[in-house]
Amino acid sequence: MDDLISGCSRIPSAKQLKQELIALFSGAGMQLHKWSSNCIELLFNFDVSDGDVSLTIPDETKALGLLWRPQKDTLAFSASSIADVSDSCTITKRLVLSATARIFDPLGLISPVVTKAKLVMQELWRLKLDWNDS
């Protein structure tokens, strides 16, 4: 695992979590290479070798297949790579499967969308369509 999403409701709790995570990774022989926060206090006094620690709060960053927007503290899912598949093509069973397979949602936050896509794929099988039928 190389990404972790976590949060705290108070700054002292977040500072403690930060120290615990650094110690945990260090104990496993792993070095923390990236760190992001929507609290500028947590970005200072960082002891990470060769790390990617920005001392500014970014507009957005990626983690576990999601876009995190620290300024608003919201998570978003980008469907542009999925939509690009069908922009200039006839929609086929092959294309539906390809678009469905591109959805990466390890946290299950958009499972209703994934389920709907899988139900569409199931219906295409029931109709006995060939892979290239529109």
Side-chain angles (χ1 to χ4, degrees):
M1 180 173 156
D2 61 358
D3 284 349
L4 171 76
I5 296 177
S6 186
C8 293
S9 58
R10 302 180 54 94
I11 293 174
S13 301
K15 286 181 179 179
Q16 180 181 350
L17 177 62
K18 173 183 152 181
Q19 294 306 319
E20 289 173 2
L21 287 171
I22 291 170
L24 180 70
F25 277 78
S26 179
M30 297 170 23
Q31 289 187 341
L32 194 59
H33 290 281
K34 293 182 182 179
W35 184 272
S36 187
S37 175
N38 62 350
C39 175
I40 200 76
E41 274 185 66
L42 294 174
L43 298 175
F44 287 105
N45 301 322
F46 217 87
D47 185 23
V48 179
S49 63
D50 298 326
D52 181 13
V53 179
S54 173
L55 295 179
T56 60
I57 298 173
D59 289 334
E60 66 183 27
T61 186
K62 288 185 179 182
L64 296 174
L66 297 171
L67 293 172
W68 177 49
R69 297 183 176 134
Q71 304 285 345
K72 296 178 182 178
D73 199 16
T74 58
L75 294 172
F77 180 81
S78 175
S80 61
S81 63
I82 296 163
D84 291 345
V85 172
S86 63
D87 277 350
S88 62
C89 304
T90 302
I91 297 177
T92 63
K93 183 164 75 172
R94 183 183 316 276
L95 196 67
V96 172
L97 179 62
S98 176
T100 303
R102 287 177 180 229
I103 300 172
F104 181 67
D105 180 34
L107 300 176
L109 297 175
I110 59 165
S111 27
V113 173
V114 176
T115 301
K116 184 67 174 174
K118 289 180 179 182
L119 289 171
V120 167
M121 193 66 205
Q122 186 179 47
E123 184 61 23
L124 295 177
W125 279 105
R126 279 193 191 124
L127 293 171
K128 300 182 189 259
L129 293 176
D130 191 35
W131 285 106
N132 297 316
D133 291 345
S134 60

